[in-house]
């Protein structure tokens, strides 16, 4: 990038909120996937106008721009693979308002998901989308990836709570979509279109979300299984049993052992699978639902069932699930967290396939799953420096995806496409859908400068 263009960009945000120091550029060259590429400059705007001004320069000069939140995505979505500018939104971190009467919140994109959750809870409300990365992931990142989480099963994903957006487009113009009302059917739903667009259509600078009243009561349970197949069969049995848990998470033995190795939380390591279940709702109906779930677990040979007695025990049970991702990441130098999703009725079949494919290629694969919605996260651990092992890892990914599609599933349940899944897009989307997708991209970003080289 030419020095005078860098100077012009630095002037927009001021020297304190721009950097091209090599050691800083390295920090912004990667995310939670395996690829990396340095940008030419990183900018930290604090207003919509600054983002718009950056985009005007980038558009004029046809420079690539990669928006970035906390960089926790698992598909290489915020790697600036064509260099250029990284626009990091983490300094736009104000909760602008929480409106208890309208049940809405307006936030800047750098607000951390958990911070919004806590502020909503203080006022008796709840923001349901809860990716396991919630302690660090930004609202902008969760909107741009349409993130889900354990509570998706009962409450849905980010798009289900999104009401309105302010977005700086590729040419610097500012788009306002949706609004603050719970109902809005005016025109095409551009809000939903931008949600999940992975920074390829515009940079989100303000977000309006819907809140819901906090559930009056909840119960958390853990069930341990000697056989992984019983564990995954229990998921389908619970779902068929008439109550929809707020969360229904599965960890296999590899994941449980990783958690124990890193955090020593007292999980049993002689089991093949563990389910973590949370039920919430009115206290009058909860006991009945707990019994329903318990019966399904017993029916599927649960070895041990724990029903948390108080909030401390609930917290301890959940800690094991929240620790799972980081614990598995510490097992080997590299990890790919897969995201294939199948109908719940096919969960056991998919788990069987994952295990078989991993074993056939001599690759360690742990299974972590938002099991209640069929969203599997096979955790593939390896050492990228070992070229042969890395090739086998890629083969495992290539084989997993068609299997999920054959079972009626999708190649991504929540992590998105990014670099990781771009080569497989054609397996799921038909040519007409691909053509329309490209047309939408051309309309928003005719010069192709926004997060180039990704899925579109
Ligand atoms: C341990 C762990 C657990 C996880 N668990 C879950 C989970 O349960 N569910 C889930 O869905 N994901 C999960 N993730 C993935 C990740 O945390 C989510 O995708 C999250 O939404 C990314 O937020 P971020 O702020 O880190 O965004 P980034 O990773 O920085 O960016 C993600 C994408 O959003 C774009 N983007 C970021 N900010 C903006 C903006 N303001 N405007 C436009 N585009 C923008 C980027 O260009 C990129 O394409 C997990 C990741 C880890 C490491």
């Amino acid at each position: 990038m030419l020095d005078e263009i860098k100077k012009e960009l630095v002037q927009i945000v001021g020297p304190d909120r721009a950097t091209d120091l090599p050691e800083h550029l390295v920090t912004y060259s990667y995310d939670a996937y395996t690829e990396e590429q340095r940008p030419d400059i990183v900018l930290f705007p604090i207003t919509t106008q600054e983002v718009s001004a950056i985009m005007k320069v980038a558009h004029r000069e046809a420079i690539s721009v990669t928006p970035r939140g906390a960089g926790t995505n698992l598909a290489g979505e915020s790697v600036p693979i064509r260099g250029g500018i990284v626009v990091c939104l983490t300094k736009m971190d104000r909760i602008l308002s929480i409106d208890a009467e309208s049940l809405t919140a307006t936030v800047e994109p750098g607000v951390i998901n958990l911070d919004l959750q806590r502020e909503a809870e203080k006022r008796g409300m709840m923001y349901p989308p809860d990716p396991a990365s919630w302690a660090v992931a930004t609202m902008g990142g969760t909107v741009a990836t349409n993130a889900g989480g354990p509570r998706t099963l009962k409450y849905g994903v980010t798009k289900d709570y999104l009401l309105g957006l302010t977005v700086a487009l590729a040419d610097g113009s500012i788009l306002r979509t949706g609004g603050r009302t719970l109902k809005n059917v005016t025109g095409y739903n551009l809000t939903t279109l931008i949600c999940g667009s992975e920074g390829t259509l515009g940079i989100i600078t303000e977000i309006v979300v819907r809140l819901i009243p906090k559930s009056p009561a909840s119960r958390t349970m853990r069930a341990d299984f000697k056989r992984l197949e019983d564990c995954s069969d229990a998921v389908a049995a619970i779902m068929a049993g008439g109550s929809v848990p707020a969360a229904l998470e599965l960890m296999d033995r590899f994941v449980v052992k990783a958690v124990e190795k890193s955090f020593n939380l007292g999980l049993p390591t002689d089991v093949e699978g563990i389910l973590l279940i949370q039920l919430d709702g009115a206290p009058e109906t909860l006991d009945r639902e707990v019994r329903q779930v318990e019966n399904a677990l017993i029916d599927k040979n649960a070895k041990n069932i724990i029903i948390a007695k108080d909030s401390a025990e609930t917290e301890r049970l959940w800690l094991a699930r929240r620790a799972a991702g980081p614990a598995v990441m510490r097992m080997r130098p590299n990890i790919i967290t897969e995201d294939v999703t199948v109908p719940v009725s096919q969960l056991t079949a998919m788990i069987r396939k994952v295990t078989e494919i991993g074993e056939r290629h001599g690759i360690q694969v742990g299974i972590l799953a938002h099991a209640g919605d069929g969203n599997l996260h096979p955790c593939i651990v390896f050492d990228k420096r070992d070229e042969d092992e890395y090739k086998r890892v890629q083969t495992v990914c290539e084989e997993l995806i068609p299997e999920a599609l054959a079972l009626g599933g999708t190649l991504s349940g929540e992590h998105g496409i990014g670099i990781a899944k771009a080569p497989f897009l054609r397996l799921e989307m038909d040519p007409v859908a691909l053509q329309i997708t490209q047309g939408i991209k051309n309309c928003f970003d005719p010069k192709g400068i926004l997060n180039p080289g990704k899925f579109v």
Side-chain angles (χ1 to χ4, degrees), residues 72-130:
T72 66
N73 76 86
L74 296 154
E77 291 145 349
S78 56
V79 178
I81 54 172
R82 304 254 166 91
I85 307 166
V86 162
V87 175
C88 184
L89 284 306
T90 49
K91 292 193 191 300
M92 293 183 72
D93 60 356
R94 291 176 305 157
I95 295 178
L96 299 171
S97 68
I98 292 188
D99 181 343
E101 286 174 358
S102 305
L103 288 170
T104 59
T106 303
V107 300
E108 290 184 332
V111 167
I112 305 291
N113 179 291
L114 187 56
D115 289 342
L116 174 61
Q117 310 250 6
R118 287 194 173 134
E119 287 306 315
E121 281 199 15
K122 277 185 204 162
R123 295 161 177 81
M125 291 176 284
M126 171 181 171
Y127 177 64
D130 62 339

Side-chain angles (χ1 to χ4, degrees), residues 31-32 66-74 76-79 87 89 109-110 130-134 136-150 167 194 197-200 202-205 207 321-322 324-326 329 370 375 377 413-415 451 454:
D31 50 33
T66 304
R68 181 182 175 102
T72 66
N73 76 86
L74 296 154
E77 291 145 349
S78 56
V79 178
V87 175
L89 284 306
D130 62 339
S133 51
W134 66 352
V136 282
T138 66
M139 288 296 291
T142 55
V143 171
T145 57
N146 192 10
V167 184
I194 287 162
S197 64
E198 300 180 14
T200 63
I203 302 189
I204 300 158
T205 60
I207 302 161
R321 172 60 185 89
R322 300 259 177 234
M329 283 170 183
H370 304 303
N375 187 188
H377 292 320
E414 58 181 21
H415 294 167
N451 212 355
K454 304 294 159 56

Side-chain angles (χ1 to χ4, degrees), residues 185-225:
V185 294
T186 309
Y188 292 138
N189 194 337
L190 299 178
T191 314
T192 306
L193 181 62
I194 287 162
C195 181
S197 64
E198 300 180 14
T200 63
L201 298 182
I203 302 189
I204 300 158
T205 60
E206 201 172 296
I207 302 161
V208 186
V209 293
R210 184 164 74 91
L211 305 174
I212 58 173
K214 196 175 158 216
S215 205
S218 75
R219 303 284 287 278
T220 296
M221 311 168 69
R222 195 188 85 203
D224 309 333
F225 292 85

